[in-house]
Amino acid sequence: MNRYFYYHVFYIGMMNVMLFVPFILIQNRFNGAVSGILLSIAIGTVMSIGTIRSYRQFPEMGLPEILKRFMPPWLVAVMLYLSSLLWLGGAVIVTYTFSQTIGMFFNPDMNHYQFLLLVIVASVFAGSRSTRTVQFANEILFWLCLPFLVFILAKALTNPYMSWDAVRVVAGYVSEFPSFKVLAAATFFFTGYLNLTLFNRLFPANFRINHLWAIPLLGAFFGFVSFFIPIGLHGTVGVEQYVYVWSVTADSMFLKYGFIQRVLFLFLIMFTLLSLMFMMNVFHASMEYIKASHPRSKPQPEQVPVPKTNWLLCSVFGALCFLFSLWANQGRSQWATGAWLSVRFLFEIMSFILIVVLAIIEKRRAATRPHSPPSSASSGQ
Amino acid sequence: MKRIVLALIACVLASGCGMKDIDKRFYVVTTGIDMTDNPEKPYRISLRLAITAARVESGSSRTEIQTVDAPSIAEGVRLLKSHVDKELEFGHCRMFILGKSLLEKATPETMSWFSRRRDIQMISYFGVGEPDALAVLKVEPKSERYPGNALFLSFGNEGTESPYTITTFLFDLVRKIKERGIDPILPIIRAHNRTYVIDKSVVANKQGQRLFLSAEETQLFKMTSADSSKSELVLPMEDGTRVVMYVSQIRTKVRISAGDAPTVRLKIKVSGVLEESAPELLEKDWHGLEQRMGQRFSKQVEELLVKLRDADADPYGFGLRYLAQHFGKDKEFKAWEASYPEAKFQVSTDVRITGPGVIR
């Protein structure tokens, strides 16, 4: 079961490219990006491990069920709507960036709404499945991505044109203090643990997530790799001019003996898969939150066939993606991404505090329960 | 299920637009850009277009060249579209040749067209055409199997592995134009009968000056900057014969000490076998020969470094190395810029001759 948790940690770590995280960090490479990444390792680790430990108090429960134990239904509904709105924001931005990137590098003559339609149809279908199906789909997509990831990383790190001097020069700016925006972007590498809010429903009651030491290592690895490899290949100054910085970085690598010369195409395939994975998870989580906001709803993680509500909700999400891309252009989507990352960071801190507080309350309740009413203790046995 | 199938069919139909068949495209294989004397249309853009053929064999490649003068590169390419009957496609253009005249007047902004176009590969090769780009484009090598591949194979150790040929990719050129403490270097491509000669190079410094390196200097640079083996070490003897060593491995380490006048230390380790020498020369004085070769090589490298320093050019990236070594920032870079003209160089070469080849 451990692996189902770590798939999320992995793909969120890789997903950052689609949300302009490297771009934001690189814009601030002389103003605290390095220290921002270092600080985010500490923040991300504390939040991940704190959340994981808190969820141990709530076996087989997702966020909606936990909230319902402590709060009135209307408050729960408001909170669930807000959090699904937040995650949908991410999905909307990713669909837009994805259709732009693919349109730019695969076929610029094609109308990019067609790409959007393709990816939205796929995401609506994938997101509306049952939670168990989504969990298994994550596994399949992850293993499809991994060979590409390993190959591109190996290609980058063994590249003779990689300038380690440039990397060292930028690393020398470690003493600058990071801004809030940088910190918000850098902590995104660690956001994968938040899948617990939904997928904790599927973990059996006595299950504990192991290898927690891997979380800071993975987050730091993805953070440093996505920040430093573009700098090594495009220099400390030249790197700032690229908007799609990782697409250009992948294009700067060369396959001498492949069927194709441009690593770019492998990279784009990997990001098609990762975007689909992200969209699927976000659509699914938002859908489940909205369904759970109904006071009488019960979580049904293995419901087959899926009800009409799933289709309906996911189609609405898909329509939102379309509406965003009508409004957005490159500048606006960059602004929206920056704003979204900051809001997400604040939201993450608040939800971390909330879940820790709720876990402490739950622990006290559990500690007092066997003593006070003897009847409930006997019924528990 | 029916609805899903319908949706999928709709997607398949939708993707049909915007595609253009392969036989309605002209593949550009080499692009050349020169400067004209006309101030209103300063750029001369020449494209070498592949004529697609069913059979692939040596010498069967056929190409056609289109040239136009225009006020900017982008406009020139648009204008050229009206000269041809098929859509121009740059996705396979892996060679860009800048005319010598362009190199003298070009600004970094000239390069932005190349890095802005999404279909131009960041891994395409850049070179300087002598006397101009068009002359290089007009060469039709006999050995070409498919259009343009003679030039592609010349670079990046893909075909020939010449110690004289510097390889510069687009992304490398762009970063070195912008980077502090390193200057771009480009190979010079000359047209010679029906083939190309690529043995010299040119360094462009940040002040807009150009320093041309001879073939020997280019080889020295490539050996010491890119650890490029398959090159040679030569020692002329007193009796007029030459001892030539084939370099199978070369490693260069650069350390820069801080101070008012920085000292750049290059430690070079070379090993290889003798390819040409007088008989039994090696057996008489193995170590002495190694030392003499090393000393001569160090002296050559030092002369090259001094020449580069005096021209205020830094293709090795000593400035960047200096910053990296001392975790320097703006202040340190200013200090380096001021002190580079007085920098001292110490080159020491450790030559290991592994053997005299197959014969004694």
Side-chain angles (χ1 to χ4, degrees):
Chain A
M1 292 307 269
N2 265 312
R3 64 179 194 277
Y4 292 110
F5 173 77
Y6 283 104
Y7 290 148
H8 290 265
V9 176
F10 252 103
Y11 92 83
I12 290 282
M14 296 190 268
M15 251 315 284
N16 63 75
V17 175
M18 275 290 159
L19 284 160
F20 293 112
V21 173
F23 178 78
I24 293 170
L25 291 178
I26 282 167
Q27 294 302 309
N28 292 289
R29 65 201 176 287
F30 298 136
N31 319 312
V34 184
S35 51
I37 296 177
L38 290 176
L39 207 58
S40 82
I41 295 174
I43 298 174
T45 310
V46 168
M47 292 212 289
S48 314
I49 293 178
T51 309
I52 290 166
R53 291 188 82 98
S54 304
Y55 269 93
R56 281 183 190 161
Q57 298 297 324
F58 307 104
E60 295 182 318
M61 272 187 259
L63 184 68
E65 291 85 70
I66 298 170
L67 292 179
K68 279 178 187 168
R69 285 169 76 104
F70 297 93
M71 292 171 196
W74 64 270
L75 190 60
V76 174
V78 168
M79 289 173 86
L80 289 176
Y81 277 124
L82 280 180
S83 55
S84 55
L85 202 65
L86 178 94
W87 285 108
L88 273 180
V92 159
I93 291 167
V94 167
T95 35
Y96 180 75
T97 318
F98 174 78
S99 71
Q100 288 292 306
T101 317
I102 296 292
M104 180 168 295
F105 291 103
F106 271 157
N107 189 356
D109 303 331
M110 197 166 145
N111 185 345
H112 81 261
Y113 291 109
Q114 290 173 354
F115 286 113
L116 206 59
L117 184 73
L118 284 172
V119 69
I120 286 175
V121 167
S123 323
V124 167
F125 178 76
S128 59
R129 301 302 93 191
S130 73
T131 311
R132 183 69 79 189
T133 314
V134 169
Q135 193 184 32
F136 290 155
N138 271 327
E139 178 161 37
I140 296 167
L141 286 171
F142 170 81
W143 286 108
L144 285 175
C145 283
L146 196 68
F148 291 111
L149 175 84
V150 170
F151 185 79
I152 291 169
L153 280 183
K155 202 73 199 155
L157 294 173
T158 59
N159 197 328
Y161 281 83
M162 177 93 189
S163 164
W164 293 101
D165 282 343
V167 171
R168 272 179 72 173
V169 169
V170 173
Y173 285 80
V174 67
S175 54
E176 308 284 323
F177 200 75
S179 66
F180 177 76
K181 199 181 169 190
V182 168
L183 210 55
T187 45
F188 184 78
F189 296 116
F190 292 87
T191 308
Y193 71 89
L194 274 183
N195 72 78
L196 272 182
T197 56
L198 188 70
F199 288 89
N200 200 41
R201 283 175 179 176
L202 295 176
F203 294 132
N206 55 356
F207 168 71
R208 288 163 72 98
I209 293 165
N210 291 325
H211 314 300
L212 291 185
W213 48 266
I215 292 173
L217 287 185
L218 283 174
F221 174 74
F222 285 121
F224 285 127
V225 158
S226 21
F227 176 64
F228 279 120
I229 287 179
I231 288 174
L233 282 170
H234 299 298
T236 60
V237 184
V239 69
E240 69 187 359
Q241 60 181 330
Y242 302 110
V243 180
Y244 298 102
V245 63
W246 256 96
S247 305
V248 176
T249 304
D251 198 20
S252 304
M253 300 168 206
F254 181 35
L255 292 177
K256 207 196 271 184
Y257 300 112
F259 296 107
I260 46 172
Q261 282 154 354
R262 301 174 84 169
V263 178
L264 174 72
F265 294 128
L266 300 181
F267 176 81
L268 290 179
I269 292 172
M270 182 175 98
F271 272 86
T272 309
L273 294 173
L274 282 176
S275 302
L276 183 64
M277 217 164 155
F278 182 75
M279 305 273 296
M280 174 179 75
N281 280 298
V282 168
F283 275 22
H284 183 74
S286 305
M287 180 190 80
E288 286 295 329
Y289 285 171
I290 290 178
K291 274 164 65 182
S293 67
H294 195 275
R296 270 174 300 171
S297 77
K298 265 200 178 139
Q300 287 173 295
E302 299 187 33
Q303 196 178 21
V304 174
V306 293
K308 280 222 167 67
T309 345
N310 284 15
W311 281 101
L312 198 70
L313 284 171
C314 283
S315 306
V316 172
F317 301 157
L320 283 179
C321 296
F322 254 110
L323 287 180
F324 177 78
S325 64
L326 284 178
W327 169 79
N329 56 29
Q330 201 164 309
R332 279 172 176 172
S333 81
Q334 266 171 41
W335 171 85
T337 314
W340 182 80
L341 284 170
S342 303
V343 173
R344 188 219 93 241
F345 183 45
L346 289 176
F347 177 85
E348 225 180 287
I349 294 174
M350 285 189 296
S351 73
F352 168 69
I353 295 170
L354 179 74
I355 195 71
V356 169
V357 169
L358 292 185
I360 291 171
I361 297 174
E362 176 75 15
K363 204 170 186 178
R364 289 216 180 123
R365 272 193 201 170
T368 51
R369 209 172 286 145
H371 302 289
S372 50
S375 59
S376 72
S378 59
S379 72
Q381 281 163 359
Chain B
M1 201 58 216
K2 221 180 234 169
R3 265 171 297 171
I4 299 167
V5 171
L6 275 177
L8 285 177
I9 289 171
C11 295
V12 171
L13 288 177
S15 66
C17 320
M19 289 288 192
K20 200 158 266 174
D21 278 336
I22 201 163
D23 53 354
K24 291 185 183 108
R25 288 179 188 272
F26 247 139
Y27 289 96
V28 182
V29 286
T30 314
T31 304
I33 294 160
D34 285 304
M35 222 57 170
T36 61
D37 297 327
N38 182 353
E40 277 174 23
K41 291 180 173 178
Y43 296 103
R44 174 169 296 155
I45 295 113
S46 327
L47 303 180
R48 190 163 175 226
L49 308 170
I51 297 172
T52 40
R55 279 196 305 168
V56 176
E57 57 188 48
S58 285
S60 71
S61 112
R62 283 186 303 152
T63 52
E64 127 179 15
I65 293 171
Q66 292 288 341
T67 305
V68 77
D69 291 357
S72 70
I73 302 175
E75 284 168 277
V77 172
R78 289 277 175 284
L79 201 57
L80 268 175
K81 283 190 177 186
S82 63
H83 292 214
V84 293
D85 56 341
K86 302 183 183 84
E87 179 73 4
L88 293 179
E89 163 71 47
F90 279 87
H92 289 258
C93 183
R94 279 181 54 214
M95 186 72 228
F96 290 86
I97 300 168
L98 312 174
K100 231 176 168 175
S101 50
L102 177 79
L103 192 75
E104 265 141 36
K105 291 178 208 158
T107 54
E109 281 66 45
T110 318
M111 301 307 302
S112 75
W113 182 77
F114 302 104
S115 38
R116 218 180 277 272
R117 289 271 306 208
R118 57 96 214 171
D119 53 349
I120 291 179
Q121 310 184 8
M122 293 304 272
I123 46 171
S124 46
Y125 302 119
F126 270 68
V128 173
E130 198 184 71
D132 56 19
L134 189 56
V136 177
L137 249 65
K138 280 185 176 155
V139 175
E140 288 190 356
K142 273 185 183 166
S143 63
E144 242 173 28
R145 277 174 70 83
Y146 57 87
N149 96 323
L151 262 184
F152 303 163
L153 288 179
S154 306
F155 289 102
N157 288 355
E158 221 183 320
T160 174
E161 297 187 28
S162 156
Y164 296 98
T165 306
I166 302 274
T167 301
T168 302
F169 293 107
L170 170 59
F171 79 91
D172 192 37
L173 178 63
V174 171
R175 81 163 159 193
K176 283 180 182 167
I177 288 174
K178 302 238 169 192
E179 188 73 297
R180 297 180 301 184
I182 192 164
D183 291 328
I185 181 165
L186 285 164
I188 294 180
I189 308 166
R190 282 180 297 151
H192 184 259
N193 293 335
R194 289 191 70 171
T195 158
Y196 307 102
V197 182
I198 314 164
D199 58 357
K200 294 180 190 168
S201 56
V202 53
V203 185
N205 75 359
K206 296 283 188 297
Q207 283 75 38
Q209 290 148 343
R210 311 291 176 243
L211 177 70
F212 292 90
L213 299 184
S214 69
E216 286 72 34
E217 288 164 336
T218 305
Q219 177 175 218
L220 280 178
F221 173 76
K222 197 179 173 190
M223 284 170 79
T224 47
S225 71
D227 289 345
S228 149
S229 54
K230 300 204 179 175
S231 44
E232 69 207 5
L233 224 63
V234 183
L235 181 70
M237 304 299 286
E238 294 78 19
D239 55 0
T241 58
R242 289 166 85 86
V243 179
V244 182
M245 181 183 128
Y246 165 80
V247 176
S248 58
Q249 206 180 29
I250 178 163
R251 290 277 172 274
T252 309
K253 273 188 193 156
V254 181
R255 294 290 300 175
I256 300 167
S257 65
D260 293 335
T263 313
V264 180
R265 287 194 181 82
L266 264 76
K267 265 193 177 170
I268 307 169
K269 274 189 184 164
V270 195
S271 62
V273 289
L274 288 191
E275 270 194 339
E276 213 178 306
S277 87
E280 288 166 25
L281 184 68
L282 193 61
E283 288 169 5
K284 261 185 263 162
D285 187 10
W286 193 304
H287 188 64
L289 195 65
E290 284 180 339
Q291 263 190 339
R292 279 165 65 194
M293 289 188 114
Q295 275 160 7
R296 182 162 185 277
F297 189 72
S298 302
K299 211 172 132 246
Q300 281 178 312
V301 174
E302 218 169 300
E303 277 165 13
L304 172 67
L305 292 174
V306 168
K307 182 180 171 182
L308 289 169
R309 182 196 69 187
D310 291 344
D312 206 10
D314 186 4
Y316 280 90
F318 292 136
L320 190 66
R321 172 60 56 90
Y322 176 82
L323 289 181
Q325 231 176 336
H326 303 281
F327 293 111
K329 297 180 184 176
D330 296 342
K331 204 182 79 195
E332 282 82 0
F333 185 64
K334 285 222 175 68
W336 165 261
E337 269 186 320
S339 60
Y340 182 54
E342 280 118 52
K344 290 191 189 67
F345 298 103
Q346 286 179 8
V347 185
S348 62
T349 312
D350 180 16
V351 178
R352 290 263 160 80
I353 301 175
T354 47
V358 184
I359 56 169
R360 281 175 67 205

